[in-house]
Amino acid sequence: MPTTVHLQPNFATGFIPLFLLFLFIAWPVISRIFDKNKRKSKKRNNIEKDNIKPVPLPIKNSYIYKIENIASLYERKEITSKQGFQNLSVLVRNFVLEYAGIDVTKKTLAEIRALDIEKVEKIVEACYEPEFSSSGSGDFYKAIYEAKKIIDTWN
């Protein structure tokens, strides 16, 4: 007595229902992972932005004096452009640490952008490429001007 069996081809029910079933099961897990990351970064940014305090005028003036000192060293050819950018970057990063309470001294430009503080991002960006390039080429005087402006207009 011959028995015939008719097998259905692979995925005869279709790929779409299987995919929808997978999404239905996996979606809560995936969304929870992305939600946690967003909440952590928002919470961290709000906490760090709350630490920003106003800078007394004598302190602003001392930082501006230090910036002008870096510019004069560059003009007298005592430091190279690259060293000038490095000194300026260190000075501004220390200023942010002291008055915003945010340690950007060892953060990359991408990490600083994630903090979403435009003033800090702007000056670090001006110094970043020349600071790490072999030649140190960049508009040093523009970076000096931006650093002075940021410190002068800080809260």
Side-chain angles (χ1 to χ4, degrees):
M1 175 163 183
T3 311
T4 58
V5 176
H6 296 287
L7 297 175
Q8 294 181 349
N10 291 338
F11 299 111
T13 57
F15 181 71
I16 293 174
L18 290 174
F19 181 72
L20 292 175
L21 180 65
F22 170 76
L23 280 180
F24 181 74
I25 293 170
W27 185 255
V29 174
I30 294 169
S31 65
R32 225 180 256 160
I33 291 170
F34 285 111
D35 248 7
K36 282 183 183 178
N37 290 341
K38 284 182 186 176
R39 277 188 267 145
K40 281 182 184 177
S41 67
K42 283 182 183 177
K43 202 179 282 185
R44 186 188 75 234
N45 288 347
N46 288 339
I47 290 169
E48 289 177 342
K49 283 183 180 179
D50 292 342
N51 291 338
I52 297 175
K53 57 187 175 188
V55 182
L57 189 59
I59 304 296
K60 280 185 184 182
N61 290 338
S62 75
Y63 272 96
I64 290 173
Y65 174 76
K66 289 175 186 177
I67 291 171
E68 289 172 351
N69 190 27
I70 293 170
S72 68
L73 288 172
Y74 175 72
E75 287 172 358
R76 292 189 311 246
K77 306 276 187 220
E78 292 180 25
I79 60 173
T80 64
S81 149
K82 181 175 181 164
Q83 291 169 328
F85 280 113
Q86 289 170 341
N87 293 343
L88 185 62
S89 180
V90 167
L91 184 69
V92 170
R93 288 170 186 252
N94 287 334
F95 175 80
V96 172
L97 174 62
E98 188 173 349
Y99 286 98
I102 305 168
D103 188 8
V104 293
T105 56
K106 295 178 182 162
K107 291 189 187 280
T108 64
L109 185 58
E111 292 169 331
I112 292 171
R113 283 187 176 138
L115 295 174
D116 195 32
I117 302 173
E118 187 178 333
K119 290 179 179 182
V120 177
E121 178 185 331
K122 195 174 188 180
I123 186 57
V124 172
E125 184 176 19
C127 295
Y128 202 78
E129 187 177 332
E131 181 182 1
F132 293 107
S133 73
S134 59
S135 65
S137 62
D139 192 350
F140 184 69
Y141 293 108
K142 181 180 178 188
I144 290 286
Y145 172 77
E146 289 294 327
K148 283 183 186 178
K149 189 170 87 172
I150 286 167
I151 289 174
D152 194 40
T153 59
W154 193 274
N155 291 347

